[in-house]
Amino acid sequence: MLKIFNLLVCLYVIAPSVVFAENTSETIFFVADDLNSAVKYYNSRGEIGNKQFLFNDNYNRTNIMHARPVNYNWADVTYDEKPYQSLKFPNTASYSYLEKTYSKVQFLTEVSPNHYRVHIDGSECFGDGCIMTENIVVAVLPQKFKVMKYDSSVDGTWKNVGNTYSFYSKNVKGASIDIEFEDTVPQVYVDLAKVLANFKDIKVSYDGNNVLVAMPVEGVFNSGEAKIQNNGSQWISIFANTLKSAKIKEMRVEGHSDNVPIKSKLYPSNWELSAARAATVVRYLIGQGLDPKILAAVGYADSKPVSDNDTPEKRKKNRRIEFTIVPKQI
């Protein structure tokens, strides 16, 4: 049996009138968050024999990260008068490999802005009477994408759990699937993650509904105070400038503290201090040009810790300002 492999297409080439029965092929395709790369796992189980994959003659062998059985070998061969690189598995009934795909042009089409289609080929056999007893093709997409529709080249059964879509077919010559999806991550998250990347202590995330930004108070406020220091105003200015053109429905600014009590003339407790710090940030953002109608300030003191308070380092994590940004639905 000979298998020709051209990046994402597996081909079984079998002599005419030979039926390749009792064979199960599994292709699992993992798409990266940034859509620029993917990882493919391929596994085949069938009759014992010598198996081989043929890759284009310019194929980079280091793309194959793992292969089993381990006694495989590479060779330069010619098939149908064309040069190929051959990955051979001698005398085995089951074999598999894990491959990194570094170019999205090999599997991805941009249908429209933020709307994509991924195409995945499972195994395909050629020759009179050739069939694949079972052909399974699976796509694993990051959760941030919303699947719009999916289709297959042959009849079969679809199942999905979250953003994992599995297609199962029986007694076919081959199968491929197409899945269309949209990037649901708001642009404000992309922009903030980019401009704040150089501030290592600031965390930017997206929970599927809101954009979340967390910053430590160290370097922004002095201990027991609610006045923004020069170092803190630097990143908050960048933050504000990015938000000016963003499509935001509302933003809540939250002040958080550790559990060490404070008692001063201005701030009788951490409730007043955390609320004052949140209000100071809101006033600063308004001064930078943000619409006050979309802003709110709230202080939580030590009621919502992200860590224990039993060491100085853990207490430092709890002293923070958090931003919950609700993007506008377009």
Side-chain angles (χ1 to χ4, degrees):
M1 182 185 68
L2 178 67
K3 181 174 289 185
I4 298 178
F5 188 77
N6 183 6
L7 295 178
L8 294 178
V9 181
C10 297
L11 307 176
Y12 282 100
V13 180
I14 302 176
S17 301
V18 175
V19 176
F20 187 69
E22 300 302 324
N23 183 79
T24 296
S25 167
E26 299 168 345
T27 303
I28 307 177
F29 203 75
F30 302 85
V31 180
D33 274 6
D34 60 6
L35 299 180
N36 287 321
S37 61
V39 173
K40 173 184 176 180
Y41 171 76
Y42 178 80
N43 178 65
S44 181
R45 300 183 300 276
E47 300 171 347
I48 294 178
N50 295 323
K51 314 296 193 306
Q52 68 173 311
F53 295 92
L54 294 186
F55 296 81
N56 289 337
D57 60 342
N58 61 351
Y59 182 75
N60 185 350
R61 296 179 182 181
T62 62
N63 288 357
I64 301 296
M65 298 185 291
H66 300 283
R68 294 292 185 274
V70 295
N71 61 336
Y72 66 88
N73 59 80
W74 287 94
D76 295 324
V77 300
T78 299
Y79 176 75
D80 199 19
E81 300 183 352
K82 296 180 181 179
Y84 292 95
Q85 298 182 62
S86 171
L87 176 60
K88 297 183 178 181
F89 296 89
N91 194 33
T92 183
S94 177
Y95 49 101
S96 61
Y97 67 83
L98 189 67
E99 180 198 19
K100 179 72 176 290
T101 301
Y102 293 93
S103 176
K104 64 182 180 181
V105 299
Q106 298 168 3
F107 62 89
L108 192 72
T109 301
E110 186 170 5
V111 179
S112 60
N114 293 328
H115 186 175
Y116 305 92
R117 180 190 302 115
V118 63
H119 177 83
I120 305 170
D121 286 295
S123 289
E124 184 175 355
C125 64
F126 291 84
D128 295 340
C130 170
I131 60 170
M132 300 291 298
T133 307
E134 295 181 304
N135 203 326
I136 303 167
V137 188
V138 181
V140 183
L141 302 174
Q143 288 299 318
K144 70 177 184 177
F145 298 121
K146 179 181 179 181
V147 173
M148 310 301 293
K149 62 180 180 179
Y150 47 89
D151 197 8
S152 59
S153 60
V154 296
D155 292 334
T157 303
W158 282 92
K159 290 185 178 180
N160 78 287
V161 177
N163 266 15
T164 298
Y165 283 75
S166 175
F167 177 73
Y168 175 83
S169 58
K170 295 183 66 175
N171 301 324
V172 296
K173 296 181 73 68
S176 63
I177 63 174
D178 290 276
I179 299 179
E180 291 191 22
F181 56 92
E182 289 184 341
D183 190 346
T184 59
V185 173
Q187 188 62 40
V188 62
Y189 166 74
V190 177
D191 294 340
L192 286 174
K194 181 178 180 180
V195 300
L196 298 178
N198 292 330
F199 299 90
K200 63 178 182 179
D201 293 327
I202 297 175
K203 297 180 180 179
V204 183
S205 60
Y206 177 62
D207 65 3
N209 295 302
N210 304 320
V211 179
L212 310 174
V213 180
M215 73 166 187
V217 299
E218 275 70 22
V220 179
F221 300 104
N222 288 334
S223 178
E225 296 182 1
K227 180 181 178 181
I228 296 177
Q229 303 302 303
N230 290 335
N231 290 341
S233 63
Q234 178 187 5
W235 91 261
I236 297 178
S237 294
I238 296 174
F239 178 72
N241 287 332
T242 305
L243 294 180
K244 285 179 184 178
S245 59
K247 295 179 173 59
I248 299 174
K249 181 179 179 181
E250 61 185 58
M251 179 169 67
R252 185 173 68 252
V253 182
E254 304 173 357
H256 299 268
S257 71
D258 58 25
N259 67 346
V260 177
I262 181 176
K263 189 173 184 180
S264 67
K265 186 176 181 179
L266 285 176
Y267 311 115
S269 72
N270 280 321
W271 287 101
E272 288 82 7
L273 177 61
S274 61
R277 285 174 169 173
T280 298
V281 172
V282 166
R283 289 196 302 271
Y284 188 92
L285 294 174
I286 293 172
Q288 294 291 307
L290 267 67
D291 185 355
K293 295 179 181 178
I294 68 170
L295 299 173
V298 60
Y300 285 108
D302 63 339
S303 64
K304 293 188 176 184
V306 293
S307 180
D308 295 330
N309 282 289
D310 52 4
T311 67
E313 189 61 31
K314 290 180 179 179
R315 288 193 291 272
K316 180 180 178 181
K317 293 180 180 179
N318 289 327
R319 298 191 297 269
R320 67 198 190 278
I321 298 292
E322 291 188 347
F323 303 82
T324 300
I325 303 168
V326 182
K328 284 184 178 179
Q329 299 297 324
I330 302 175

